[in-house]
């Protein structure tokens, strides 16, 4: 009998996961409340529902006779799926307590402080508590919603006079109205994707990341990373300790961190796939299938990785956005690469919100040398010309 899988989420970032499931011959159901999102077009069955309600998702799974449930690339999908997995006994999911520690900034900061994990020092505000004295924290500070993503509601403040407005903005962008205030760390931004098997890192990759249009939303990245082996080893050791402390189940743990010299600060972690087709950057550089590795671990299959490209090819990735609302007509580029690949996300004439709330396309460019990759990737936006019906935004 054909086994059945439910994919929780339906947007473009979930498509690689869906096709990894299809290659296994599974019957695939997709849930999400946007009929226009692409995963519905490839599913055997669709359930148009709001999976942010964990009890509604629980009811669907209880009545669906699913063998596997698969979260996609957002925190809401992951947390609702984890809730259902705990209720119904699906294997290879962490407990809700552990998932909350990892996916909530406030809880994760408590965890790093208790366990001496290197991370920015912070204080927390709950509910409608007024901004408190930040004590020993040194300005500038970052004020963040405890449960948002893509840099939404994050503000850098330079003195106490700016604190109240930043806290109010963070609360507007938080479902829980909880806020984290942390020291701003000067350093370069990177990510670490580690695939965990039996509480050991079985395979990992490092990526350099850049925020070039909207502060604190990553829109450009490259692989391989420029990080030295000392920083890689230190980050790997920190995350191996996190895995042991939390007794993580098999699967992906994806981490953003800052580096300055040989120092490392862990910013945030997630057990879901990162969004915006992040895995495709790694796929094209190494010749692997990132989404397939995620599914392999989730389904409990034998895990092995053999990169086709060794050493890796030099690839950069850029998400095309705008700092103002617009109606895109077309875009062009003059990236110094003979191999540019474009994933179009929006059709001509469809309005586009300003970053971080919308995006036009994601492109990948292959470079011949490491130096060329590292020269272009941090400035990708300067190589893009966006033509809109309001006038060029180049």
């Amino acid at each position: 009998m054909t086994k059945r899988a439910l994919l929780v989420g339906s947007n473009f970032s979930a498509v690689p996961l869906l096709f990894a499931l299809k290659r296994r011959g599974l019957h695939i159901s997709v849930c999400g409340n946007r009929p226009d999102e692409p995963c519905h077009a490839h599913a055997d069955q669709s359930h148009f529902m709001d999976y942010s309600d964990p009890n509604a998702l629980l009811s669907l799974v209880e009545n669906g006779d699913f063998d596997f449930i698969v979260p996609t690339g957002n925190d809401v999908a992951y947390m609702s799926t984890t809730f259902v997995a705990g209720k119904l006994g699906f294997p290879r999911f962490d407990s809700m307590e552990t998932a909350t520690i990892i996916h909530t900034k406030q809880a994760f900061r408590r965890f790093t402080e208790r366990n001496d994990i290197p991370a920015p020092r912070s204080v927390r505000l709950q509910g409608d508590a007024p901004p408190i004295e930040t004590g020993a924290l040194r300005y500038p500070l970052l004020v963040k919603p405890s449960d948002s993503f893509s840099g939404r509601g994050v503000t850098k403040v330079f003195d106490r006079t700016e604190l109240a407005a930043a806290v109010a903005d963070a609360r507007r962008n938080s479902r829980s109205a909880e806020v984290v205030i942390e020291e701003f760390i000067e350093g370069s931004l990177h990510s670490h994707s580690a695939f965990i098997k039996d509480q050991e890192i079985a395979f990992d990759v490092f990526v350099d990341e850049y925020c070039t249009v909207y502060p604190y939303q990553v829109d450009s990245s490259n692989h391989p990373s420029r990080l030295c082996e000392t920083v890689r080893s230190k980050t790997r050791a920190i995350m191996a300790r996190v895995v042991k402390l939390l007794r993580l189940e098999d699967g992906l743990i994806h981490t953003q961190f800052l580096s300055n010299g040989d120092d490392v600060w862990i910013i945030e972690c997630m057990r879901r796939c990162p969004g915006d087709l992040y895995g495709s950057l790694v796929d094209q550089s190494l010749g692997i299938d990132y989404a397939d590795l995620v599914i392999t671990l989730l389904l409990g299959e034998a895990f092995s990785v053999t990169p086709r490209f060794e050493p890796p090819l030099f690839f950069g990735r850029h998400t095309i956005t705008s700092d103002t609302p617009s109606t895109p007509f077309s875009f062009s580029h003059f990236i110094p690469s003979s191999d540019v690949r474009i994933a179009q996300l929006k059709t001509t004439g469809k309005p586009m919100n300003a970053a971080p709330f919308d995006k036009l396309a994601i492109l990948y460019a292959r470079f011949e040398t490491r130096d060329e990759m590292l020269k272009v990737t941090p400035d990708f936006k300067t190589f893009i010309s966006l033509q809109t019906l309001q006038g060029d935004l180049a």
Side-chain angles (χ1 to χ4, degrees):
M1 180 178 291
T2 301
K3 291 192 173 183
R4 299 168 57 87
L6 174 67
L7 190 67
V8 183
S10 54
N11 78 0
F12 70 92
S13 283
V15 171
L17 293 170
L18 185 148
F19 276 88
L21 294 168
K22 283 180 78 74
R23 287 192 292 272
R24 287 161 169 80
L26 302 173
H27 178 282
I28 303 167
S29 294
V30 170
C31 68
N33 60 4
R34 292 274 306 273
D36 59 321
E37 289 189 327
C39 285
H40 292 296
H42 303 285
D44 297 299
Q45 187 173 7
S46 286
H47 301 274
F48 299 111
M49 58 164 291
D50 182 2
Y51 56 75
S52 68
D53 180 348
N55 286 302
L57 183 62
L58 176 62
S59 178
L60 171 63
V61 176
E62 283 179 321
N63 293 295
D65 192 28
F66 298 109
D67 298 283
F68 308 106
I69 50 175
V70 180
T72 54
N74 66 76
D75 287 339
V76 172
Y78 186 84
M79 294 302 291
S80 289
T81 308
T82 300
F83 171 83
V84 172
K87 293 290 186 182
L88 301 181
F90 284 88
R92 291 173 291 280
F93 281 88
D94 300 320
S95 67
M96 276 298 290
E97 179 184 7
T98 297
T100 300
I101 289 171
I102 293 174
H103 288 265
T104 307
K105 292 179 179 66
Q106 186 179 64
F108 187 66
R109 285 289 175 264
R110 283 197 295 266
F111 169 79
T112 60
E113 290 163 6
R114 284 197 308 265
N115 294 284
D116 199 28
I117 304 295
R121 294 191 302 167
S122 65
V123 296
R124 294 165 290 277
L125 296 180
Q126 292 183 309
D128 58 356
I132 60 174
E133 181 56 51
T134 53
L137 298 187
R138 292 173 296 183
Y139 286 88
L141 303 174
L142 286 182
V143 181
K144 302 179 176 183
S146 184
D147 54 1
S148 76
F149 58 95
S150 296
R152 299 178 186 184
V154 179
T155 306
K156 184 178 180 181
V157 299
F158 293 88
D159 59 54
R160 184 164 177 76
T161 63
E162 301 172 333
L163 195 57
V167 168
D169 186 52
R171 285 186 172 133
R172 283 193 296 271
N173 285 276
S174 170
R175 293 181 300 277
S176 64
E178 294 182 346
V179 176
V180 174
I181 303 172
E182 64 183 36
E183 288 185 344
F184 175 81
I185 301 293
E186 196 70 53
S188 56
L189 183 64
H190 309 271
S191 59
H192 175 232
S193 273
F195 294 86
I196 307 303
K197 181 70 175 176
D198 298 326
Q199 294 187 18
E200 302 287 344
I201 297 177
F203 177 73
D204 63 356
V205 294
F206 290 87
V207 167
D208 302 331
E209 300 193 332
Y210 312 91
C211 306
T212 68
V213 174
Y214 184 84
Y216 317 115
Q217 180 192 37
V218 172
D219 56 38
S220 298
S221 53
N222 63 256
H223 186 276
S225 169
R226 68 183 186 275
L227 285 170
C228 66
E229 188 55 42
T230 298
V231 172
R232 292 171 187 250
S233 296
K234 182 176 288 188
T235 305
R236 192 176 287 122
I238 292 168
M239 294 314 302
R241 184 163 172 256
V242 169
V243 169
K244 295 287 189 184
L245 286 168
L246 292 174
R247 298 182 176 87
L248 295 185
E249 295 286 340
D250 293 353
L252 172 70
I253 182 165
H254 182 79
T255 303
Q256 279 194 320
F257 66 97
L258 290 167
S259 174
N260 192 330
D262 290 343
D263 292 326
V264 171
W265 296 268
I266 304 300
I267 303 302
E268 63 182 5
C269 298
M270 61 185 75
R271 299 233 61 194
R272 60 173 177 83
C273 281
D276 290 347
L277 301 178
Y278 172 100
S280 294
L281 170 68
V282 179
D283 293 347
Q284 294 173 85
S285 176
L286 285 174
I288 64 172
D289 190 328
Y290 186 103
D292 192 78
L293 297 180
V294 173
I295 296 299
T296 293
L297 288 167
L298 184 61
L299 270 55
E301 300 171 348
F303 183 85
S304 66
V305 189
T306 305
R308 188 156 48 96
F309 304 130
E310 189 58 49
L313 306 180
F314 300 109
F315 264 90
R317 162 181 162 268
H318 179 65
T319 303
I320 301 176
T321 61
S322 172
D323 57 7
T324 60
S326 61
T327 304
F329 176 73
S330 67
F331 70 89
S332 55
H333 71 83
F334 49 100
I335 298 167
S337 167
S338 60
D339 185 358
V340 176
R341 309 167 188 186
I342 298 169
Q344 185 78 31
L345 303 179
K346 193 173 288 291
T347 56
T348 297
K350 187 172 183 179
M352 181 171 72
N353 295 316
F357 299 102
D358 215 343
K359 56 208 68 170
L360 176 62
I362 299 172
L363 63 81
Y364 305 87
R366 181 182 174 185
F367 301 98
E368 294 301 318
T369 68
R370 177 181 184 272
D371 287 346
E372 190 177 47
M373 176 187 73
L374 295 178
K375 179 181 179 181
V376 173
T377 303
D379 292 313
F380 253 138
K381 71 174 183 179
T382 66
F383 294 89
I384 308 295
S385 177
L386 176 60
Q387 296 82 44
T388 74
L389 297 180
Q390 290 86 2
D392 286 5
L393 293 177

